[in-house]
Amino acid sequence: MSRAGPEPVALAILAKAPVPGFAKTRLAPALGAARAAALQARFLERAATTACSAQIGPVSVWATPDPDHPAFQALAAVFGVALLSQPDGDLGLRMLTALAAARGPALVIGTDCPALTVAHLRAAADALAGGVDVVVVPVEDGGYALIGMREPKPQLFADMPWSTAGVMAETRRRLARLGLSWREPARLWDVDGPEDLPRLEREGLASVLG
């Protein structure tokens, strides 16, 4: 079913190649490097499937370290997504670059939140299409799984304490200080460490474990 909307909203996926010792390294003590990388491959495929199924606008995958990795090439072949290289810099610069490249309303997600669904993406896109400046989907550890905006806002990314429990709180403070309107259409959870793995089964997402 295609989404009825007045304005396309681009969707960028920031993703690591599923390379042992490079992807999902915090899961390696529990799974081993090879299984952790295999899980990243399934997370990547799930994120791309969800993004393309939402049908909100063009989908791009911003790859690291190299979009020529077979996992990324397979996504391009199956889904027709654009492949681009993530720039050097911190997470904020990489997200800002992906949003700016859309030249219009855009969302950016990672691959660590298998709980993110088509409905969440459509709700976020609809918020932007309705005129909201920024949309964010926070996660339980204090960060966020999705951020989108009608036009790039560098102030939301510069000097942010990434990978800490204070990211979402600081983002809200900056949004308020800048006088921007925003929506938080859902609160989800992501998979960072071994303690998160049992939840995949509890939440009916055991299939991504393989």
Side-chain angles (χ1 to χ4, degrees), residues 51 54 68 93 120 147 165 201:
D68 289 335
L93 177 61
H120 296 131
I147 189 166
E201 295 193 30

Side-chain angles (χ1 to χ4, degrees), residues 11 13 47-57 59 75 79-81 118 121:
L11 203 163
I13 304 170
T49 299
T50 302
C52 293
S53 297
Q55 297 183 334
I56 59 174
V59 177
L75 292 183
F79 296 106
V81 298
V118 166
L121 296 178

Side-chain angles (χ1 to χ4, degrees), residues 151-166:
E151 58 183 46
K153 302 293 182 184
Q155 304 96 319
L156 298 180
F157 301 110
D159 300 317
M160 181 69 75
W162 302 113
S163 301
T164 71

